């Protein structure tokens, strides 16, 4: 049976310094005790992996697909002009990087991470983000990371904020421990965006949803906002407006997935 916390610890075996034969032995023992299962199809896989080879191939196709460097939406080919944002991006974000489109198998991984308590998947997906050149470029230029906050009631119900988990792994993965700061709080326990299928509804739902409580943390800083999924961009825009009150030097964002720009998948997020 797939067990996310066990698989997370197995993946960290590869980070142990030296003694490659000891690492291999430990991995073999853990493979025997905790046989790997793909998080998507449940077929057997390497215990240190979350996906079998077939599902991993599908995920790699999403990760290598062309995307706009300004809004992170899909492009027909690498470097093509973006028909969605026309090079203007979302809000005043200089750039947005993603892992892939909100399609299978990434969609299922996000659902498990977000709604089924499998928070270690957030760290696994963040590790895959760190392999992306665009993500690394944004992180190299970052002064701090700002995870999109959840309202305290929703976070208590879920037990964690997946954006916090992703930001923490991104911070550790850079080697320089980029500070993760929380200058913004969620003021209103808004309706979940899952049930709102239009941009207008989502923008209205997020009106006055965030409040800047520590403006000095972002003053003059290059801020990277971290979230799981971008649909209409309403959350990023709403949070960005509040962050700009603190006069940051720059806003960029890193997300796991970007939904269909035509809005056909909102009800599945």
């Amino acid at each position: 049976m797939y067990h996310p916390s066990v698989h997370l610890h197995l993946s960290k075996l590869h980070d142990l310094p030296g003694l490659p034969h000891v690492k291999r032995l430990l991995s073999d023992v853990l493979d025997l005790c905790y046989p790997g299962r793909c998080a998507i199809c449940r077929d057997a896989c390497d215990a240190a992996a979350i996906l079998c080879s077939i599902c991993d191939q599908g995920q790699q196709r999403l990760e290598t697909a062309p995307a706009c460097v300004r809004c992170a939406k899909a492009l027909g080919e690498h470097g093509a002009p973006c028909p969605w944002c026309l090079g203007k991006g979302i809000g005043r974000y200089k750039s947005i990087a993603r892992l892939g489109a909100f399609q299978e198998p990434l969609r299922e991984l996000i659902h498990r991470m977000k709604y089924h308590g499998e928070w270690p998947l957030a760290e696994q997906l963040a590790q895959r983000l760190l392999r992306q050149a665009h993500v690394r470029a944004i992180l190299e230029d970052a002064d701090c990371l700002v995870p999109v906050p959840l309202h305290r009631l929703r976070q208590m119900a879920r037990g964690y904020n997946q954006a916090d988990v992703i930001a923490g792994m991104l911070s550790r993965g850079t080697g320089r421990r980029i500070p993760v700061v929380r200058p913004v709080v969620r003021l209103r326990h808004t309706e979940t965006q899952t049930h709102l299928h239009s941009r207008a509804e989502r923008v209205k739902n997020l009106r006055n949803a965030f409040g800047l409580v520590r403006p000095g943390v972002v003053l003059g800083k290059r801020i990277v906002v971290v979230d799981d999924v971008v649909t209409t961009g309403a959350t990023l825009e709403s949070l960005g407006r509040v962050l700009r009150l603190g006069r940051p030097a720059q806003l960029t964002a890193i997300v796991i997935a970007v939904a269909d720009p035509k809005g056909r998948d909102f009800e599945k997020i």
Side-chain angles (χ1 to χ4, degrees), residues 38-97:
C38 175
I40 302 298
C41 69
R42 298 301 194 259
D43 279 353
C45 68
D46 188 299
I50 60 172
L51 298 174
C52 67
S53 59
I54 294 176
C55 291
D56 192 67
Q57 287 173 13
Q59 176 59 33
Q60 288 184 36
R61 283 193 292 272
L62 294 181
E63 293 174 11
T64 56
C68 174
V69 296
R70 294 296 310 279
C71 71
K73 294 177 182 175
L75 297 178
E77 60 183 40
H78 291 285
C82 181
W84 311 111
C85 75
L86 303 178
K88 298 177 182 179
I90 293 177
R92 296 187 185 178
Y93 287 85
K94 179 182 178 181
S95 185
I96 300 174

Side-chain angles (χ1 to χ4, degrees), residues 159-202:
Y160 56 92
N161 177 358
Q162 65 279 0
D164 262 323
V165 179
I166 295 164
M169 179 57 74
L170 292 177
S171 171
R172 296 190 296 275
T174 60
R176 64 184 181 95
R177 294 274 179 171
I178 302 171
V180 178
V181 298
R182 297 167 183 82
V184 175
V185 296
R186 202 109 180 193
L187 298 175
R188 295 193 296 111
H189 191 204
T190 54
E191 180 180 358
T192 175
Q193 300 281 80
T194 307
H195 305 308
L196 305 176
H197 300 162
S198 75
R199 175 176 172 78
E201 288 177 314
R202 292 184 173 221

Side-chain angles (χ1 to χ4, degrees), residues 2-269:
Y2 170 75
H3 192 293
S5 61
V6 169
H7 279 239
L8 177 64
H9 294 307
L10 289 173
S11 69
K12 291 180 177 179
L13 281 176
H14 301 295
D15 298 330
L16 290 174
L19 300 178
H21 59 289
V22 174
K23 290 190 289 182
R24 183 67 258 170
L25 178 60
L26 286 173
S27 183
D28 289 343
V29 170
L30 289 169
D31 274 346
L32 179 63
C33 298
Y34 299 99
R37 288 288 182 270
C38 175
I40 302 298
C41 69
R42 298 301 194 259
D43 279 353
C45 68
D46 188 299
I50 60 172
L51 298 174
C52 67
S53 59
I54 294 176
C55 291
D56 192 67
Q57 287 173 13
Q59 176 59 33
Q60 288 184 36
R61 283 193 292 272
L62 294 181
E63 293 174 11
T64 56
C68 174
V69 296
R70 294 296 310 279
C71 71
K73 294 177 182 175
L75 297 178
E77 60 183 40
H78 291 285
C82 181
W84 311 111
C85 75
L86 303 178
K88 298 177 182 179
I90 293 177
R92 296 187 185 178
Y93 287 85
K94 179 182 178 181
S95 185
I96 300 174
R98 70 174 196 184
L99 185 62
F102 188 69
Q103 300 171 6
E104 300 299 352
L106 185 55
R107 176 163 48 203
E108 178 65 17
L109 292 174
I110 290 171
H111 278 184
R112 290 182 176 280
M113 168 194 78
K114 197 168 180 177
Y115 303 119
H116 298 285
E118 298 185 17
W119 63 265
L121 287 175
E123 293 197 330
Q124 295 277 5
L125 292 171
Q127 288 176 343
R128 298 185 79 112
L129 273 169
L130 288 164
R131 303 175 195 167
Q132 301 287 316
H134 189 195
V135 170
R136 293 196 302 272
I138 286 177
L139 292 174
E140 286 173 4
D141 199 37
D143 290 320
C144 54
L145 306 178
V146 176
V148 173
L150 291 179
H151 189 272
R152 65 183 182 280
L153 295 179
R154 183 159 295 149
Q155 183 157 342
M156 285 172 61
R158 187 172 295 172
Y160 56 92
N161 177 358
Q162 65 279 0
D164 262 323
V165 179
I166 295 164
M169 179 57 74
L170 292 177
S171 171
R172 296 190 296 275
T174 60
R176 64 184 181 95
R177 294 274 179 171
I178 302 171
V180 178
V181 298
R182 297 167 183 82
V184 175
V185 296
R186 202 109 180 193
L187 298 175
R188 295 193 296 111
H189 191 204
T190 54
E191 180 180 358
T192 175
Q193 300 281 80
T194 307
H195 305 308
L196 305 176
H197 300 162
S198 75
R199 175 176 172 78
E201 288 177 314
R202 292 184 173 221
V203 169
K204 182 179 179 181
N205 187 48
L206 289 167
R207 190 168 296 146
N208 301 318
F210 299 108
L212 183 65
V213 293
R214 300 173 62 200
V217 171
V218 300
L219 177 62
K221 300 293 180 62
R222 294 166 295 183
I223 305 298
V224 180
V225 173
V226 179
D227 204 4
D228 54 359
V229 183
V230 170
T231 51
T232 63
T235 299
L236 285 184
E237 288 187 17
S238 180
L239 183 60
R241 281 194 296 273
V242 172
L243 285 170
R244 287 199 301 274
L245 297 175
R247 295 182 291 169
Q250 176 180 286
L251 285 180
T252 55
I254 296 173
V255 301
I256 296 295
V258 175
D260 183 345
K262 295 183 180 179
R264 292 172 293 200
D265 282 337
F266 285 0
E267 68 277 6
K268 299 175 184 177
I269 298 175

